[in-house]
Amino acid sequence: EIVMTQSPATLSVSPGERATLSCRASQSVSSNLAWYQQKAGQAPRLLMYGASTRATGIPARFSGSGSGTEFTLTISSLQSEDFALYYCQQYKNWLSFGGGTKVEIK
Amino acid sequence: QVQLQESGPGLVKPLEMLSLTCGVSGTFISSGGYVWSWIRQHPGKGLEWIGYIYHSGTTSYNAPFKRRVMISVDTSKNQFSLKLSSVTAADTAVYFCAREASTGAGYFDPWGQGLLVTVSS
């Protein structure tokens, strides 16, 4: 089983600032990594796949990078609607999710 | 657009079977090419993939669930179902159904809104 670890668990950021979220895989997943955003009471929303490809309708302030075992999701200038939970998911070997990072208002 | 909707009882007794259905609209499961999945989320916790099914009925399950899970598909009703046996309080969670974003993708879009299932006597 590939274990996905996200850090930090909580990220406090002011609106307009940059947020950098990390996701680490216990073994290489190549670029088979997706990111999701989840708001309270809602289903996760696909943000990114292939580690760096934005899903349809996702604003350009979201960017993803990395390959192998280390990945980053960057939100360049946080908007009010971006404060949420973020999960990474690998799909290289079966399917597994990280524990999530909560982006909260500082 | 493609929409998914979970349905089923919100309360299940311990050691009984949890049974949920995911109704699909906007596309036909029988068209093929995608996997249809169940994923759960414990209250305040992360996401856990349970398993998936193809339109043909071929399934794949996450190892921790293999002994007590069954996912089935009913293409005539355009829905797929989850059965989880011998539930305990640890199975209390929000259960989501989801479709693979594209053929062979491995990631999910769209998702259903989720259904909270509580295991309690």
Side-chain angles (χ1 to χ4, degrees), chain A residues 1 32 34 36 38 41-46 48-50 55 85 87 89-91 94-100, chain B residues 37 39 41 44-49 52 60-62 64 66 96 101 104-109 111-114:
Chain A
E1 179 195 356
N32 295 297
Y36 300 86
Q38 186 180 33
Q42 297 183 17
R45 171 196 181 196
L46 180 67
M48 205 81 62
Y49 59 91
L85 275 163
Y87 293 97
Q89 179 226 326
Q90 67 82 19
Y91 48 96
W94 298 105
L95 305 168
S96 53
F97 293 87
Chain B
S37 274
I39 296 159
Q41 185 171 36
K45 303 292 186 183
L47 297 158
E48 186 176 29
W49 172 64
Y52 62 61
S60 184
Y61 301 129
N62 195 356
K66 274 185 177 176
F96 295 100
Y107 46 90
F108 304 103
D109 181 47
W111 296 56
Q113 66 184 26

Side-chain angles (χ1 to χ4, degrees), chain A residues 31-35 48-53 63-67 71-72 91:
Chain A
S31 295
N32 295 297
L33 187 102
W35 288 94
M48 205 81 62
Y49 59 91
S52 60
T53 302
S63 63
S65 63
S67 66
F71 301 88
T72 300
Y91 48 96

